[in-house]
Amino acid sequence: MTMNLETAAHPETLRRVAIEPVSRVEGHGKVTLLLDDDDRIHQVRLHIVEFRGFEKFIQGRPYWEVPVMVQRLCGICPVSHHLAASKALDQIVGAKNLTPTAEKLRRLMHYGQILQSHALHFFHLSSPDLLFGFDSDVARRNIVGVAQAYPEVAKQGVLLRKYGQEVIRLTAGKRVHGTGSVPGGVNKNLSREERDLLLADIYQIIAWSREAVALARKLYEQSPALYDDFGRFDAHSLSLIRADGALDLYHGGLRARRKDGSTVFDHVNYDHYWEHIFEEVKPWSYMKFPYLRELGPEDGWYRVGPLTRVTQCDFIPTPFADHERRDFLAYGGGSAAGATLGTHWARMIEMLHSAEAIKELLHDDDLLGDDLVVTGERQERGVGMIEAPRGTLIHHYRVDDDDVVARCNLIVSTTHNNQAMNESIRAVARKYLDGRKLTEGLLNHIEVAIRAFDPCLSCATHALGKMPLIVELVDAEGRQVDSLSSGSL
Amino acid sequence: MSDTQTFLLDGEEIPFAPGQTVIQAALAAGHYIPHLCYHPEFKPHGSCKVCTVKVGNRTAASCTLPAQAGLEVESASDEMNDLRRTLVQMLFAEGNHFCPSCEKSGNCALQALGYDLGVMTAGFRHLFPDRPVDASHPDLLLDFNRCILCELCVRASCEVDGKCVFALSGRGIDKHLIVNAPSGRLEDTDVALTDKAVQVCPVGVILKKRVGFAQPIGARRYDASPISAQALADAPRAPAGDGRCAACEEAEEK
Ligand code: SF4
Ligand code: FES
């Protein structure tokens, strides 16, 4: 339990270990480890500067601009914001049911995004740690190192990502800052040539995705003790789920389960998500802490993302991925399904599912249709939810009679996972922090734990080994007792 | 005809008819001079200065400079284009132009001109003015963030629509677009969707509501060809010597 530590009788006597990344690209993060008098980890606080400013920024803007504007939020998953905002605005324009062409093109775009994001995460960001070991030479622990030691793996990673970006380009109009999804539908279909272009490579993409799942599994099997245990914690879970219980990354009702697997709620319409998800504010962080109302603020935090989605769906509606899901759940009597590092394996299963789903869509002539947009009775409020690569994403707007945004609330995956990440870091720090001395090994391990969640903060992107960290050990009076810098400083 | 009058533009002879300005004659003869506030359907206004050319030791706005026999005009020089790039940079810095999320992107003359002139950097610290939109009208939106003060809407509303809905107010950096209503709000004017003024804005200020990004990337005006090519295609051709219209002939051939 962590929450109780925040109300420690004398928090001022706790020493602080601060880990601060120097490069701040997408916002920034800092980890504070609070020690007690016996130099044991009491609490972890991951600080992330978030995009609260955006909710203000979008106020007063015309609603039809929102799906394109929100892509400024995040350089890593702009398409997810594009689609979640569009879904919220579908409600604003009264589009209850999109045309088959619009719905399928949006899905295609979304699967393209999942594919490219998961490939980027696994191959570029995480595979160096996983292939070479968390403590290996930093000069080698990057995608260039992977390309030298495992050229085929690196090549597939690059091409998988590229394919996903192609799908995005052809559905959204551009690789970044596309405009394809609009309130009530889409603004373009797929031409026959574009469809055939994507069809030409999709079987190779599926084959490589299957190899990627096998690789993620192999890495796990090579060091089961490490993978089972590393940063492990129990958590409640939340995801969207299709009406028949299938994994659905684009749309569904809300399913929440307790740590023991019992149901909190299921197939709940997300239009009134605030009746179930409440955002708590804490004095030490700009980030909000969402919790499940049914379970209360102390215990209601939960985990979202690939691990949750793959483990709490009843099945995956594409054959290869569902086969892999069953293997994943069965592995080690279920040990991988609850492991922080099992997230990588689950992520690759989702990538495979996305590739299969893209293949199915490409064989559907609805993609070539001309019926693109529907509208209905204008509404004041709209909520859109989607399963983004990193987890559940919520967009919520109120639009006034003049068609401009009056209010906006966003809950991004990294916010949902706020406390879950703290828990994971705490588990790692407990195991690897030795006395009052910070070691590079500890920093590396904390990075690996954070990165498993793929949060959208700069310290998690770790591009080409450029992740210098400054580590400070600060006592209660603010004096620096120890400091350490890692990486390429 | 032997008595056609000409002037020199970057060393080439440009024929002109009496009353034409330098830019009109140049465009009609197939020579592009970059411009923003000039529009072939309206009386030249001479405010943006993008069309500035050099005549002798002086610079002048070619959209208002009367063509004269024997003028020696310099336009396509590095010096003039550097000046134009600076003017475009200043326009970008002065308003809030965020092209990637602007619905006019691809249909916007300022953006197209920036691309065509090769404006690659911001050049100036952006002012980020706070300019709320006027969304009061049921069918039209005014996004003042993007106004380049070209007065095309002002001219169109007075000269074509006969309404004078729009005007510019203030001086220098405080100059801004206003609408002709005691409340200052568009809903209280007699503007109509069909007004010429509504269609003429070269950037994303006067917008039809609920259109947004309906037109996909790739199908937008300047996706097809750069603004310089389109300005030449759109330019009224000077009457040929035999009284026939060159542009009409082209149209007939098509
Ligand atoms: S609103 Fe448009 S047409 Fe009118 S002055 Fe501004 S930029 Fe020119
Ligand atoms: S085009 Fe001549 S001054 Fe604007």
Side-chain angles (χ1 to χ4, degrees):
Chain A
M1 276 300 306
T2 321
M3 295 303 184
N4 53 357
L5 295 169
E6 291 202 46
T7 51
H10 300 286
E12 65 281 359
T13 65
L14 302 178
R15 280 192 300 275
R16 282 143 204 265
V17 180
I19 303 175
E20 181 151 23
V22 174
S23 62
R24 297 171 183 180
V25 186
E26 309 283 342
H28 78 279
K30 179 173 91 164
V31 177
T32 308
L33 308 177
L34 299 180
L35 303 177
D36 63 14
D37 288 335
D38 300 324
D39 287 344
R40 284 197 321 239
I41 300 285
H42 246 204
Q43 192 195 1
V44 169
R45 292 172 174 181
L46 172 62
H47 304 262
I48 301 171
V49 174
E50 244 199 326
F51 353 88
R52 286 285 149 187
F54 186 82
E55 294 167 344
K56 195 99 197 100
F57 180 77
I58 200 77
Q59 270 175 29
R61 298 301 309 171
Y63 74 74
W64 51 87
E65 200 175 68
V66 171
V68 175
M69 187 78 92
V70 289
Q71 297 180 80
R72 292 171 77 173
L73 270 173
C74 171
I76 313 177
C77 54
V79 173
S80 308
H81 289 292
H82 184 52
L83 291 172
S86 297
K87 289 181 76 179
L89 291 159
D90 291 345
Q91 297 188 348
I92 298 281
V93 300
K96 288 214 169 71
N97 294 300
L98 298 195
T99 68
T101 298
E103 157 108 16
K104 286 170 187 173
L105 277 158
R106 283 200 194 166
R107 282 183 175 272
L108 183 62
M109 192 193 299
H110 187 47
Y111 294 128
Q113 162 70 359
I114 299 271
L115 184 75
Q116 79 88 13
S117 175
H118 279 3
L120 173 74
H121 182 269
F122 183 71
F123 290 98
H124 293 69
L125 306 183
S126 289
S127 80
D129 293 331
L130 305 177
L131 288 167
F132 298 132
F134 310 162
D135 281 324
S136 61
D137 178 10
V138 282
R140 194 169 76 131
R141 197 154 29 98
N142 54 49
I143 186 70
V144 177
V146 175
Q148 281 160 1
Y150 306 90
E152 191 54 30
V153 170
K155 184 188 104 187
Q156 291 177 10
V158 169
L159 293 178
L160 280 162
R161 174 153 192 248
K162 200 163 156 227
Y163 185 85
Q165 290 173 320
E166 257 323 80
V167 173
I168 293 169
R169 183 178 70 82
L170 293 174
T171 49
K174 278 202 288 182
R175 272 179 172 196
V176 282
H177 269 298
T179 64
S181 182
V182 297
V186 295
N187 69 11
K188 75 184 283 286
N189 62 9
L190 218 57
S191 71
R192 221 162 266 281
E193 299 72 55
E194 290 169 335
R195 196 261 317 265
D196 293 346
L197 188 76
L198 292 176
L199 261 180
D201 291 330
I202 188 59
Y203 293 95
Q204 180 65 71
I205 293 301
I206 292 174
W208 283 341
S209 298
R210 295 180 72 187
E211 286 179 35
V213 178
L215 174 61
R217 178 188 179 126
K218 195 172 103 194
L219 288 165
Y220 203 110
E221 285 171 337
Q222 277 170 0
S223 344
L226 172 69
Y227 273 64
D228 276 350
D229 250 19
F230 186 88
R232 192 187 188 101
F233 61 98
D234 289 329
H236 312 307
S237 53
L238 177 81
S239 72
L240 292 176
I241 200 82
R242 200 166 80 182
D244 61 358
L247 175 79
D248 191 338
L249 301 171
Y250 179 75
H251 190 67
L254 284 167
R255 167 176 285 182
R257 286 185 174 162
R258 293 185 188 83
K259 291 173 184 171
D260 62 8
S262 62
T263 296
V264 183
F265 49 77
D266 207 1
H267 300 297
V268 165
N269 185 333
Y270 61 63
D271 289 359
H272 290 80
Y273 69 91
W274 54 87
E275 289 169 7
H276 302 279
I277 300 166
F278 192 81
E279 292 177 275
E280 195 185 18
V281 178
K282 304 212 176 189
W284 53 267
S285 178
Y286 291 114
M287 259 178 112
K288 291 191 180 174
F289 285 76
Y291 64 87
L292 302 174
R293 279 185 191 249
E294 283 83 349
L295 304 182
E298 286 290 306
D299 187 45
W301 60 272
Y302 50 90
R303 170 164 48 197
V304 301
L307 189 70
T308 294
R309 293 186 296 231
V310 170
T311 52
Q312 79 169 5
C313 68
D314 301 334
F315 65 101
I316 297 181
T318 54
F320 289 141
D322 195 51
H323 185 91
E324 298 292 349
R325 180 192 67 92
R326 279 183 268 124
D327 280 1
F328 176 66
L329 294 186
Y331 180 83
S335 64
T340 293
L341 289 180
T343 308
H344 295 295
W345 186 349
R347 188 174 282 120
M348 290 302 93
I349 294 172
E350 286 190 341
M351 184 171 83
L352 173 58
H353 166 60
S354 299
E356 291 184 280
I358 289 172
K359 184 209 77 183
E360 278 176 19
L361 283 167
L362 290 175
H363 284 99
D364 190 330
D365 279 349
D366 279 344
L367 289 184
L368 313 176
D370 289 321
D371 209 357
L372 303 182
V373 175
V374 291
T375 53
E377 201 185 320
R378 175 75 151 68
Q379 304 295 316
E380 194 191 339
R381 195 186 64 218
V383 176
M385 263 202 215
I386 200 164
E387 285 294 336
R390 293 154 188 82
T392 315
L393 171 64
I394 304 177
H395 278 228
H396 176 189
Y397 302 94
R398 199 161 60 71
V399 175
D400 72 15
D401 291 343
D402 284 346
D403 295 327
V404 300
V405 175
R407 199 184 99 84
C408 157
N409 188 46
L410 309 175
I411 309 181
V412 303
S413 331
T414 301
T415 304
H416 289 293
N417 273 334
N418 206 348
Q419 191 55 29
M421 287 189 286
N422 289 341
E423 290 298 322
S424 193
I425 298 166
R426 191 158 76 112
V428 167
R430 280 208 160 147
K431 183 153 181 169
Y432 297 97
L433 179 70
D434 195 7
R436 300 181 64 183
K437 208 75 192 135
L438 292 165
T439 63
E440 202 150 310
L442 174 67
L443 299 194
N444 289 339
H445 284 70
I446 288 175
E447 281 179 37
V448 171
I450 297 174
R451 210 171 295 123
F453 291 86
D454 193 11
C456 23
L457 63 155
S458 62
C459 68
T461 54
H462 194 185
L464 296 168
K466 280 183 274 169
M467 189 169 142
L469 294 175
I470 294 174
V471 190
E472 287 180 307
L473 180 59
V474 182
D475 68 14
E477 282 80 46
R479 283 187 310 243
Q480 194 180 72
V481 197
D482 186 19
S483 87
L484 177 68
S485 59
S486 79
S488 47
L489 271 186
Chain B
M1 275 200 321
S2 55
D3 59 344
T4 306
Q5 305 206 67
T6 63
F7 64 88
L8 280 183
L9 175 65
D10 296 322
E12 288 196 48
E13 286 205 355
I14 307 292
F16 68 92
Q20 274 187 318
T21 62
V22 166
I23 205 171
Q24 285 168 337
L27 290 172
H31 291 262
Y32 174 66
I33 298 177
H35 56 273
L36 259 183
C37 71
Y38 170 72
H39 188 292
E41 292 172 43
F42 297 96
K43 227 169 77 201
H45 181 250
S47 62
C48 76
K49 307 297 178 201
V50 168
C51 68
T52 298
V53 293
K54 205 165 180 182
V55 184
N57 286 327
R58 295 180 43 214
T59 54
S62 64
C63 69
T64 51
L65 179 69
Q68 286 171 43
L71 274 188
E72 290 187 24
V73 179
E74 173 194 321
S75 170
S77 63
D78 287 347
E79 185 190 351
M80 287 301 105
N81 283 328
D82 278 344
L83 183 89
R84 293 173 184 138
R85 278 187 278 272
T86 304
L87 288 169
V88 170
Q89 285 174 327
M90 288 165 77
L91 285 171
F92 270 101
E94 186 265 339
N96 293 310
H97 302 271
F98 190 76
C99 299
S101 59
C102 174
E103 64 186 89
K104 201 70 187 251
S105 181
N107 288 327
C108 169
L110 179 65
Q111 180 194 42
L113 186 68
Y115 277 128
D116 211 27
L117 285 171
V119 177
M120 306 303 282
T121 56
F124 297 91
R125 200 165 53 81
H126 283 228
L127 299 180
F128 298 116
D130 182 24
R131 299 186 193 157
V133 302
D134 178 347
S136 61
H137 193 279
D139 298 314
L140 290 168
L141 178 90
L142 291 184
D143 189 338
F144 300 103
N145 292 289
R146 305 163 182 154
C147 185
I148 56 172
L149 309 173
C150 68
E151 286 200 40
L152 276 170
C153 59
V154 180
R155 288 178 272 169
S157 190
C158 283
E159 293 168 24
V160 181
D161 306 326
K163 295 182 178 175
C164 294
V165 168
F166 299 101
L168 295 190
S169 169
R171 299 188 72 82
I173 195 69
D174 295 324
K175 198 170 193 179
H176 63 284
L177 183 73
I178 55 168
V179 301
N180 188 4
S183 66
R185 289 158 66 82
L186 193 63
E187 65 175 337
D188 297 323
T189 68
D190 53 353
V191 72
L193 262 182
T194 47
D195 284 359
K196 183 76 179 170
V198 166
Q199 289 141 35
V200 80
C201 181
V203 293
V205 181
I206 308 175
L207 298 164
K208 242 179 98 182
K209 276 189 171 178
R210 298 173 288 276
V211 172
F213 294 88
Q215 193 180 32
I217 294 168
R220 295 180 162 240
R221 178 169 179 178
Y222 299 110
D223 292 340
S225 59
I227 192 168
S228 48
Q230 297 197 27
L232 290 177
D234 292 350
R237 293 284 183 266
D242 55 4
R244 299 197 53 190
C245 151
C248 313
E249 276 174 32
E250 277 170 25
E252 276 164 25
E253 278 165 27
K254 278 182 198 158

